[in-house]
Amino acid sequence: KNQVEQSPQSLIILEGKNCTLQCNYTVSPFSNLRWYKQDTGRGPVSLTIMTFSENTKSNGRYTATLDADTKQSSLHITASQLSDSASYICVVSSSNYQLIWGAGTKLIIKP
Amino acid sequence: EAGVTQFPSHSVIEKGQTVTLRCDPISGHDNLYWYRRVMGKEIKFLLHFVKESKQDESGMPNNRFLAERTGGTYSTLKVQPAELEDSGVYFCASSQVAGASYNEQFFGPGTRLTVL
């Protein structure tokens, strides 16, 4: 069964600190892996998209890694800001359009 | 350039009533998708349009849900009759021509549906 699991479920850190969110997937065939940020009351916004051959991809303070052998991905946030408070969702595509979503990690940044 | 818009932002209806959600994709995007997030669960795919045609509707939960995209522009998702378990947030997304390697999807803000 195609599944995407994320950990932790929620995380609270102090402003300025770094954090890493985890994603494990059992999706086959694999096309690409995406990380989305979703603010409360808003739609998801794409942070990174990685294909099988990409090990790491950065978008500002966000760096995603992908290990296609172990089917694991991580999202590292550097020097967190209050505006980083949101849900971060790992999504795996098994074809060109169908997306399989994780439940998300709720991140809270405290001043 | 305007993003994906959805209307209404929030709808509260009683069980057995009908509700129609609307999505306006980004202009020029042939692909339009509907997703749903029910309370405490992950977002799930409902269906995918390419222009006015249904490419994949494998995620539609049952025949109480009807999606249309007449003319290949905006889309509507009708729930008739609504049940309590239909409550959730309905997201719409659009992307450019299918076949792009990433086929990045741009999401609307969602419609929160509450069925009482």
Side-chain angles (χ1 to χ4, degrees):
Chain A
K1 182 183 176 183
N2 288 334
Q3 277 188 318
V4 177
E5 296 189 351
Q6 294 187 242
S7 62
Q9 195 171 26
S10 62
L11 182 62
I12 302 173
I13 63 172
L14 292 175
E15 184 181 10
K17 297 296 186 183
N18 303 336
C19 66
T20 301
L21 315 180
Q22 301 291 343
C23 172
N24 296 334
Y25 62 92
T26 55
V27 177
S28 182
F30 174 89
S31 176
N32 56 69
L33 184 145
R34 308 157 186 234
W35 282 94
Y36 282 91
K37 177 186 179 187
Q38 185 176 16
D39 293 304
T40 302
R42 300 267 184 119
V45 174
S46 178
L47 294 175
T48 64
I49 303 176
M50 289 184 292
T51 59
F52 182 88
S53 59
E54 294 174 296
N55 300 120
T56 185
K57 186 167 266 191
S58 292
N59 177 1
R61 294 178 297 100
Y62 301 102
T63 299
T65 65
L66 173 64
D67 186 334
D69 292 329
T70 61
K71 297 187 177 181
Q72 295 180 324
S73 176
S74 66
L75 180 69
H76 185 77
I77 304 175
T78 304
S80 61
Q81 300 176 358
L82 296 179
S83 59
D84 293 332
S85 293
S87 286
Y88 291 83
I89 310 174
C90 177
V91 185
V92 179
S93 175
S94 66
S95 66
N96 202 33
Y97 54 83
Q98 181 145 166
L99 305 180
I100 297 151
W101 297 72
T105 292
K106 184 168 184 175
L107 177 64
I108 298 172
I109 311 297
K110 290 203 163 183
Chain B
E1 178 186 286
V4 177
T5 58
Q6 293 186 244
F7 182 83
S9 57
H10 193 180
S11 179
V12 181
I13 61 172
E14 292 190 350
K15 177 183 171 181
Q17 289 187 321
T18 297
V19 63
T20 300
L21 314 181
R22 172 170 171 145
C23 168
D24 286 78
I26 293 172
S27 177
H29 281 192
D30 288 341
N31 295 274
L32 186 149
Y33 316 80
W34 283 99
Y35 295 88
R36 176 173 75 168
R37 183 175 205 160
V38 296
M39 183 72 76
K41 298 278 184 103
E42 64 275 14
I43 294 172
K44 288 238 174 118
F45 167 83
L46 295 178
L47 89 159
H48 168 212
F49 283 101
V50 177
K51 297 185 179 178
E52 67 275 10
S53 299
K54 291 176 186 173
Q55 178 77 14
D56 180 355
E57 53 184 328
S58 61
M60 294 288 263
N62 51 61
N63 59 10
R64 294 186 294 102
F65 289 75
L66 175 64
E68 294 180 321
R69 192 182 182 196
T70 306
T73 54
Y74 70 91
S75 174
T76 58
L77 180 64
K78 180 191 288 188
V79 185
Q80 179 182 30
E83 298 289 342
L84 298 178
E85 64 264 25
D86 300 333
S87 295
V89 182
Y90 290 77
F91 292 103
C92 175
S94 72
S95 67
Q96 288 184 319
V97 178
S101 59
Y102 286 159
N103 193 28
E104 182 167 2
Q105 298 181 21
F106 298 87
F107 284 79
T111 292
R112 179 173 294 278
L113 175 63
T114 302
V115 183
L116 302 175

